[in-house]
Amino acid sequence: MRLLVTGGAGFIGSNFVRAVVSLHPDYHICVLDKLTYAGNLENLAGLETSPRFRFIQGDICDPETVGEILKRGVDAVVNFAAESHVDRSILDASEFARTNITGTLNLLQGSRRAGVGRFLQISTDEVYGSLGPTGAFTEATPLAPNSPYAASKAAADLLVRSYHQTYGFPCLITRCSNNYGPYQFPEKLLPLLITNATAGVALPIYGDGLYTRDWIHVADHCAALDRALHLGRPGEIYNIGARQEKTNLEIARLVLRILGKDENLITFVADRPGHDRRYAIDPAKMETKLDWKPQIPFETGLRGTVEWYLRNPAWVENVRSGAYQTYYERMYQNRSRTLAEL
Ligand code: NAD
Ligand code: DAU
């Protein structure tokens, strides 16, 4: 199978590419990524010499780039490319609208034109908005996004849905809860807590710290995506989650305990505007229809993640300083191909 993975140099995308490489040694993978601050070629280190792997630095909003890649033959598109951080969307939502909405539409248009056989849109539980103290999001929960980020992802989901309804285009959507694991950019809660605690710096906790997220290890998410890509029914939505709800305060305490650090590092700071109180996913459809189950218990996954960050201080330094652009120059630019040579 020839896969186009957009946003494959980001956190989940790069974990997915690695998972596909090991699960399907005969697949050809092309990663299209703009390499924004969140995209990092070190996440894909080691793959650059494989004849079955291609990396193209480019924008999913650019019809020419997307059209050229698709013209070379792509069986399936998996769209991870997005602006993904809620706090940034509150400061300025324009890139979120551009990449998450216009970019997704551009990919849909190009893919339909090129006769792509499957289009998997990677979405989020945030499109459902916030839950009260009980219950969980099902695929039938109405969309009620609260942040500009969530609104842009919901808009993309509706475009994907419309392509199935209007053109019978074989696309499907997955909506996952909060991911954690290796290669996550340290602006998101877990890597921020781990790297701050390691450095003995304050852990910023928004509001009262009792906001709840439903955590899943990125490897479990990627295994679910592999199932959805191969076995999911076009037109369907699949919720992905591991039934592991935790408050942010619980998470901060756990990280400090694992690292043997003092709880005094926890610092309550001003709340996020429009902060969703609670997310929880009901993954029953994934479990019953696609025979998938999460494998990694939260504490085990968290310990492994903490160890990964401790073993990779240079990665953290590099992504914070943008030094991975140098990696790109070193590993890719001297071997760069024109699109026509792909
Ligand atoms: P990320 O921010 O780590 O990675 C996003 C990637 O997209 C980066 O490599 C970036 O360079 C690339 N990108 C951004 N704009 C682009 C553009 N215009 N053209 C091409 N590439 C572009 O994000 P992530 O956490 O890995 O999330 C990946 C996807 O999964 C997103 O669509 C996100 O909405 C969704 N998601 C994330 C989570 C989570 O907990 N992180 C949970 C559910 C769903
Ligand atoms: O639910 C899936 C979503 O999870 C994805 O769609 C998003 O791309 C991803 O960023 C994530 O969104 P959240 O807003 O839940 O993740 P974040 O890591 O930003 O925050 C998690 C919780 O921690 C949230 O309640 C806000 C809180 N928080 C976050 C930061 C960065 C803090 O208390 N302090 C912080 O410094």
Side-chain angles (χ1 to χ4, degrees):
M1 188 186 267
R2 293 159 304 172
L3 282 185
L4 171 61
V5 180
T6 63
F11 163 48
I12 307 175
S14 62
N15 276 282
F16 178 76
V17 168
R18 289 185 183 285
V20 169
V21 165
S22 78
L23 285 170
H24 309 287
D26 54 328
Y27 281 20
H28 287 253
I29 302 171
C30 176
V31 167
L32 170 65
D33 197 297
K34 189 178 170 186
L35 294 184
T36 67
Y37 77 97
N40 177 359
L41 275 171
E42 283 187 32
N43 299 356
L44 297 166
L47 295 176
E48 58 273 356
T49 50
S50 164
R52 286 181 293 104
F53 176 79
R54 295 271 182 283
F55 176 80
I56 314 271
Q57 183 172 12
D59 190 335
I60 60 164
C61 301
D62 175 10
E64 238 176 79
T65 303
V66 167
E68 276 300 324
I69 294 171
L70 292 170
K71 214 162 73 184
R72 309 284 145 189
V74 167
D75 301 306
V77 172
V78 187
N79 181 27
F80 291 93
E83 287 295 332
S84 68
H85 191 44
V86 173
D87 292 336
R88 286 179 189 258
S89 80
I90 294 167
L91 290 173
D92 181 357
S94 29
E95 274 305 301
F96 289 74
R98 208 183 79 84
T99 288
N100 300 3
I101 306 174
T102 309
T104 301
L105 177 59
N106 187 41
L107 282 175
L108 284 166
Q109 282 172 331
S111 301
R112 179 171 163 257
R113 230 175 265 133
V116 166
R118 210 152 244 256
F119 187 104
L120 179 58
Q121 172 71 3
I122 311 305
S123 188
T124 166
D125 60 359
E126 298 207 10
V127 297
Y128 298 123
S130 190
L131 283 167
T134 57
F137 300 128
T138 71
E139 289 80 359
T141 302
L143 300 187
N146 289 319
S147 70
Y149 160 69
S152 68
K153 291 295 290 186
D157 283 13
L158 294 178
L159 285 168
V160 173
R161 177 190 143 86
S162 78
Y163 261 62
H164 183 260
Q165 296 295 114
T166 306
Y167 307 112
F169 185 60
C171 37
L172 49 158
I173 298 171
T174 56
R175 293 182 180 146
C176 190
S177 62
N178 284 65
N179 282 226
Y180 70 99
Y183 302 106
Q184 188 169 28
F185 192 85
E187 67 184 347
K188 304 280 168 68
L189 180 70
L190 252 169
L192 182 74
L193 296 181
I194 295 169
T195 51
N196 278 17
T198 306
V201 173
L203 311 191
I205 297 296
Y206 297 165
D208 62 7
L210 300 179
Y211 293 85
T212 302
R213 296 292 182 263
D214 188 352
W215 294 90
I216 182 169
H217 194 279
V218 66
D220 276 334
H221 183 192
C222 292
L225 294 178
D226 185 63
R227 304 291 291 174
L229 176 66
H230 293 95
L231 305 171
R233 265 188 42 194
E236 294 286 322
I237 295 163
Y238 296 93
N239 280 356
I240 302 172
R243 297 191 179 89
Q244 301 187 112
E245 280 186 63
K246 305 273 174 225
T247 66
N248 298 334
L249 208 46
E250 282 177 283
I251 303 265
R253 290 196 172 118
L254 255 172
V255 167
L256 290 169
R257 203 170 70 220
I258 292 170
L259 285 166
K261 299 281 183 169
D262 199 292
E263 283 204 7
N264 287 335
L265 283 175
I266 294 175
T267 306
F268 292 94
V269 299
D271 211 347
R272 170 186 280 176
H275 198 168
D276 286 335
R277 190 64 168 168
R278 175 172 169 260
Y279 302 146
I281 277 277
D282 177 354
K285 183 172 171 185
M286 270 302 301
E287 291 169 342
T288 55
K289 303 282 186 207
L290 300 188
D291 195 23
W292 165 87
K293 277 219 174 347
Q295 305 292 327
I296 306 174
F298 185 70
E299 281 221 29
T300 315
L302 183 58
R303 279 178 193 282
T305 303
V306 169
E307 278 162 24
W308 188 88
Y309 279 90
L310 290 177
R311 278 200 315 274
N312 291 282
W315 181 90
V316 175
E317 243 350 273
N318 287 348
V319 296
R320 281 193 170 142
S321 68
Y324 52 84
Q325 295 294 354
T326 315
Y327 182 88
Y328 176 73
E329 280 156 24
R330 209 161 14 100
M331 300 307 290
Y332 287 85
Q333 284 188 338
N334 59 357
R335 304 187 309 112
S336 67
R337 302 168 179 85
T338 63
L339 283 172
E341 289 168 338
L342 277 182

